[in-house]
Amino acid sequence: MNQIRGKAVNQVEIARILGVSVVTIRTWEKESLPVCTKGRKGIAATYDTRAVIDWFATRDPSRYRP
């Protein structure tokens, strides 16, 4: 398992941090958004804020709308 460098947050929290919807977060997971732990029935996915922000910074901002 990867070491968390930022804060471990759930899908709603990472969406709020990035200013996007939860649906967008799910879409980005298919485009290699880093996930600490995959969600499954009854257990929420978790995201490392530092890893996600680093990933987001490499994306083309013209592709996304808040």
Side-chain angles (χ1 to χ4, degrees):
M1 175 155 53
N2 295 336
Q3 182 176 352
I4 295 176
R5 300 176 300 153
K7 181 180 176 185
V9 297
N10 67 28
Q11 204 170 55
V12 172
E13 292 170 313
I14 202 65
R16 182 184 52 76
I17 289 166
L18 297 175
V20 299
S21 70
V22 171
V23 172
T24 298
I25 296 299
R26 290 182 193 134
T27 300
W28 287 352
E29 282 184 22
K30 296 172 188 169
E31 298 176 6
S32 75
L33 177 76
V35 178
C36 290
T37 57
K38 291 266 187 195
R40 57 188 187 274
K41 189 172 185 173
I43 300 175
T46 59
Y47 305 83
D48 176 351
T49 55
R50 176 64 183 253
V52 170
I53 290 168
D54 288 349
W55 176 88
F56 186 71
T58 67
R59 307 296 287 174
D60 176 5
S62 67
R63 291 183 61 196
Y64 307 108
R65 295 178 301 192

